[in-house]
Amino acid sequence: MGDDGSQSCPGMLYLVSTPIGNLKDISLRALEVLQAADLIAAEDTRRTRVLLQHYDIATPTTSYFDHNKERKLPQLLAKLCSGKTVALVSDAGTPGISDPAFRIVRECIVNDIQIEALPGATAFVPAVVLSGLPTDRFVFEGFLPVKKGRRKRLEELQGEVRTIVLYESPHRITRTLRDLETFLGDRQAAIARELTKKFEQVLRGSLSDLLQESMARKLKGEFVVVVAGKPK
Ligand code: SAM
């Protein structure tokens, strides 16, 4: 910030949370920001267009995802430095939560660009509160590494006393439940599936029960896995 309090880069970055399924799960302020922004940087422009069309928002979009961020970041920073307002959205939920945003937030801080995060939908909050497991302390682990570092991460979690929250994709849910049971023991857990969508479901039980269920029914959709911490 300049001596007179002015920003060296006069633009503004908004991190806008978008629905994780139900299109109504968006705040009035988020809609206003998306409407008023000069540009929406979206992880998947086609998916974001569905939301924008639903709310009759015609703001131009550009893509910003993990594999083009090195190229796109300077362009977005240039827009912000020229005084534009950019709204960043991910495919679903809160940008920065297992979704791209970290790099641009860091660069905005370095370049003295104002940032605001609009609170809103994110998958782990409804999952942890619906799990029935203690919510006074929990740890968000995002996705377990698929290959390198997976074992180490699972070993690190063995002594974790807080409730553990993980994201998982449909084709790895069975493997992850099996690994969790092997490394953490047969603890109580919950799977929150397809939250806010038509086939929303929360399965609760021991990890071995949930593993059986997952193998028997080939569970589909998006999942949050919540596991009890190590018993004291
Ligand atoms: N930014 C998102 C958030 O704030 O929750 C997370 C994005 S991450 C790439 C996608 C993962 O979030 C999915 O694999 C799943 O674990 C979880 N997820 C997203 N939507 C979900 C839903 N409707 N029900 C359950 N889990 C969901």
Side-chain angles (χ1 to χ4, degrees), residues 37 41 75 88 94 101 107 134 141 154 177 182 194 208 217 222:
Q75 296 172 18
L88 180 75
T94 301
E107 290 300 322
E141 282 290 321
L154 285 159
L177 291 170
T182 305
E194 294 287 88
S208 59
R217 293 180 39 207
E222 297 195 275

Short mmCIF file of all heavy atoms in Angstrom, two decimals, residues 37 41 75 88 94 101 107 134 141 154 177 182 194 208 217 222:
data_model
loop_
_atom_site.label_atom_id
_atom_site.label_comp_id
_atom_site.label_asym_id
_atom_site.label_seq_id
_atom_site.Cartn_x
_atom_site.Cartn_y
_atom_site.Cartn_z
N ALA A 37 -18.68 -8.09 -11.78
CA ALA A 37 -17.25 -8.26 -12.09
C ALA A 37 -16.98 -7.96 -13.56
O ALA A 37 -17.85 -8.10 -14.42
CB ALA A 37 -16.83 -9.69 -11.76
N ALA A 41 -13.04 -15.68 -13.68
CA ALA A 41 -12.03 -16.71 -13.97
C ALA A 41 -12.57 -18.01 -13.39
O ALA A 41 -12.77 -18.13 -12.18
CB ALA A 41 -10.70 -16.33 -13.34
N GLN A 75 -1.69 -12.92 -16.81
CA GLN A 75 -2.77 -12.19 -17.51
C GLN A 75 -3.80 -11.67 -16.52
O GLN A 75 -4.27 -10.53 -16.61
CB GLN A 75 -3.47 -13.11 -18.52
CG GLN A 75 -2.57 -13.58 -19.64
CD GLN A 75 -3.24 -14.66 -20.50
OE1 GLN A 75 -4.44 -14.83 -20.50
NE2 GLN A 75 -2.43 -15.39 -21.25
N LEU A 88 -13.16 -15.10 -9.00
CA LEU A 88 -12.62 -16.44 -9.25
C LEU A 88 -13.60 -17.47 -8.70
O LEU A 88 -14.01 -17.38 -7.54
CB LEU A 88 -11.26 -16.60 -8.55
CG LEU A 88 -10.59 -17.95 -8.74
CD1 LEU A 88 -10.00 -18.07 -10.14
CD2 LEU A 88 -9.50 -18.18 -7.70
N THR A 94 -15.91 -23.88 -2.61
CA THR A 94 -15.08 -22.72 -2.30
C THR A 94 -13.73 -22.81 -3.00
O THR A 94 -13.00 -23.79 -2.81
CB THR A 94 -14.89 -22.64 -0.76
OG1 THR A 94 -16.19 -22.52 -0.17
CG2 THR A 94 -14.03 -21.47 -0.36
N ALA A 101 -6.63 -21.78 -6.29
CA ALA A 101 -6.82 -20.40 -5.79
C ALA A 101 -5.57 -19.97 -5.02
O ALA A 101 -5.26 -18.78 -5.00
CB ALA A 101 -8.04 -20.25 -4.89
N GLU A 107 -0.13 -14.40 -5.03
CA GLU A 107 0.37 -13.35 -5.93
C GLU A 107 -0.33 -12.02 -5.67
O GLU A 107 0.29 -10.97 -5.77
CB GLU A 107 0.19 -13.76 -7.40
CG GLU A 107 1.10 -14.88 -7.84
CD GLU A 107 2.58 -14.53 -7.71
OE1 GLU A 107 2.96 -13.39 -7.99
OE2 GLU A 107 3.36 -15.42 -7.31
N PRO A 134 -17.60 -36.21 16.49
CA PRO A 134 -17.33 -34.94 17.16
C PRO A 134 -16.91 -33.83 16.18
O PRO A 134 -16.10 -34.05 15.28
CB PRO A 134 -16.17 -35.28 18.10
CG PRO A 134 -16.33 -36.74 18.35
CD PRO A 134 -16.85 -37.33 17.08
N GLU A 141 -8.22 -33.09 5.57
CA GLU A 141 -7.06 -33.68 4.89
C GLU A 141 -7.16 -33.60 3.37
O GLU A 141 -6.24 -34.04 2.68
CB GLU A 141 -6.91 -35.15 5.31
CG GLU A 141 -6.29 -35.33 6.67
CD GLU A 141 -4.80 -34.97 6.68
OE1 GLU A 141 -4.10 -35.27 5.70
OE2 GLU A 141 -4.35 -34.35 7.66
N LEU A 154 -1.11 -41.79 5.57
CA LEU A 154 -1.97 -42.65 6.38
C LEU A 154 -1.32 -42.96 7.73
O LEU A 154 -1.99 -42.97 8.76
CB LEU A 154 -2.28 -43.95 5.61
CG LEU A 154 -3.30 -43.79 4.47
CD1 LEU A 154 -3.17 -44.91 3.45
CD2 LEU A 154 -4.72 -43.75 5.03
N LEU A 177 -11.32 -46.55 1.65
CA LEU A 177 -11.92 -47.11 2.87
C LEU A 177 -11.09 -48.30 3.37
O LEU A 177 -10.86 -48.45 4.56
CB LEU A 177 -13.36 -47.55 2.58
CG LEU A 177 -14.35 -46.42 2.32
CD1 LEU A 177 -15.68 -46.96 1.80
CD2 LEU A 177 -14.59 -45.59 3.59
N THR A 182 -7.18 -50.39 7.31
CA THR A 182 -5.88 -51.05 7.55
C THR A 182 -4.99 -50.19 8.45
O THR A 182 -4.37 -50.69 9.39
CB THR A 182 -5.15 -51.28 6.19
OG1 THR A 182 -6.02 -52.00 5.35
CG2 THR A 182 -3.85 -52.02 6.36
N GLU A 194 -22.98 -37.19 -2.57
CA GLU A 194 -23.88 -36.37 -3.41
C GLU A 194 -24.64 -35.31 -2.60
O GLU A 194 -25.84 -35.10 -2.78
CB GLU A 194 -24.87 -37.29 -4.14
CG GLU A 194 -24.22 -38.21 -5.16
CD GLU A 194 -23.77 -37.46 -6.41
OE1 GLU A 194 -22.63 -36.97 -6.39
OE2 GLU A 194 -24.54 -37.36 -7.37
N SER A 208 -15.24 -50.94 8.39
CA SER A 208 -15.44 -52.23 7.71
C SER A 208 -16.86 -52.33 7.15
O SER A 208 -17.05 -52.86 6.05
CB SER A 208 -15.11 -53.41 8.64
OG SER A 208 -15.93 -53.36 9.78
N ARG A 217 -22.30 -52.22 -3.32
CA ARG A 217 -23.22 -51.36 -4.08
C ARG A 217 -22.54 -50.48 -5.10
O ARG A 217 -23.19 -49.69 -5.77
CB ARG A 217 -24.02 -50.50 -3.10
CG ARG A 217 -24.95 -51.36 -2.28
CD ARG A 217 -25.76 -50.57 -1.30
NE ARG A 217 -26.21 -49.32 -1.83
CZ ARG A 217 -26.48 -48.25 -1.10
NH1 ARG A 217 -26.33 -48.30 0.20
NH2 ARG A 217 -26.90 -47.14 -1.64
N GLU A 222 -20.07 -38.13 -5.69
CA GLU A 222 -18.96 -37.44 -5.02
C GLU A 222 -19.06 -37.73 -3.53
O GLU A 222 -20.16 -37.79 -2.97
CB GLU A 222 -19.04 -35.95 -5.28
CG GLU A 222 -18.91 -35.62 -6.74
CD GLU A 222 -18.64 -34.15 -6.96
OE1 GLU A 222 -19.62 -33.39 -7.00
OE2 GLU A 222 -17.46 -33.78 -7.07
#
